[in-house]
Amino acid sequence: MAVPTVTEQIEYGSRGISSLKITAVEPMVTRTPVSTLPADEFIEMPPMGSVSNRVGIGNRLDHASPSRFKGHNQTTLVKITTDEGIIGWGEAHAPTAPAVHAKVITDLLAPILIGQDARNIGPLWERMYSSQRLRGYATGFFTESIAGVDIALWDILGKFVGVPLYQLLGGKYRDRIPTYGGGGSPEEALEAMEAGFTAVKMGFSKGVGSDDFERVVKVSEAVGDKGQVLVDSLGAFKLHEAISVGRKLDELGNIGWFEDALMPEDTASYPKLVEALDTAVCVGETLCNRFQFRDLFSERGAEVVNPDVSRAGGVTECKRIADMADTFGILWSPHVSSGLPPYVAASIHLAVATPNAVIMEAGNIHNATDVAGSRGNVLLKEPLEFAAGMAMVPERPGLGIEFNENELQKIAVG
């Protein structure tokens, strides 16, 4: 091995010691496909008074159908610049009203950050969170905005010391993390299995005996012993219904988990559901901080959790959640619903750096020319590496991504 030159020795000796002052914090709202329609044109929900279209006491007001965005994906990226010229990128989960996140970042978080040492990630996280702690803002726009900043700070630190993010988190347990694909029909499930996936995820929101449950049965039969089916119900059931449905899922034999069976506010019922079923109960994409997960864990309300790094406070908070889950013997799976490269890359780094991560949401990786379908790879100078059923951890410094800003500007809004 060659002996470092004097210049290299000075550089290595000062790395991580010199100042790294934050000089700019800039949010960027993106939308794909690109559209100039005003933001209020993108929110759609079922009409007021919509019911669940079941029989008897199952026929009730529909609270479980979330807002949708008329075929568009939106997010808020965060660009942080330092006095040494190092730039970090983060992302706040912001599909609904990304301009709100941008305002939280510019008006609340940026004044806290400007002039601070970017290496003080933990103290800066606590400072941001504490700015609204006594006001009860512990979820939603607030923690999502913190997440975007936090991811960018970790990206900066990795670039500053010249190592991938997973090294800063203690090292990697593996080089890659398994991923699951979408499989809402038997045909899609078979295609995913043949491509190399070992798990598919499908939505299911109707009661036992309905046509929708028969669809679960058909997907389960198509997958057979080649893999598992992950069932997501988006809070569709009351406890008695979830137990009834879950016992039917138990009989299928290849259901990996029953996700979000109950409304997120119904935390007292999740331990009862866990106790009643053999199928693993998965909860967590709607939870946004370690305190919520602490309460879930202490009551044994889940066997798998799926926090979202761009929603639950970023890398700093999600690492705390994953570690705490491991303490309770609970598995975790990064939830990655509709994000761009900072969101995806941070999730991969977290997954490989934690011993209890089992699988990660993949999205559609087949359409490499589409921003959403490629997980944003078309926006990067060097793409994140995926295979069917697997995501490889980037080995470049920080998050391991570098935007082609000309491509990025094509989807920027305002």
Side-chain angles (χ1 to χ4, degrees), residues 282-301:
C282 178
V283 190
E285 72 174 89
T286 60
L287 305 182
C288 295
N289 62 62
R290 65 189 182 275
F291 310 110
Q292 294 171 324
F293 281 94
R294 173 201 62 196
D295 296 342
L296 182 74
F297 296 159
S298 66
E299 297 299 323
R300 308 301 303 185

Side-chain angles (χ1 to χ4, degrees), residues 104 107-110 112 124-137 142 146:
V104 171
D107 289 15
L108 175 62
L109 303 182
I112 293 170
L124 288 174
W125 194 98
E126 293 296 334
R127 190 171 177 83
M128 289 187 289
Y129 188 81
S130 293
S131 71
Q132 302 297 299
R133 194 176 205 137
L134 298 183
R135 294 174 174 86
Y137 300 162
F142 181 52
I146 290 175

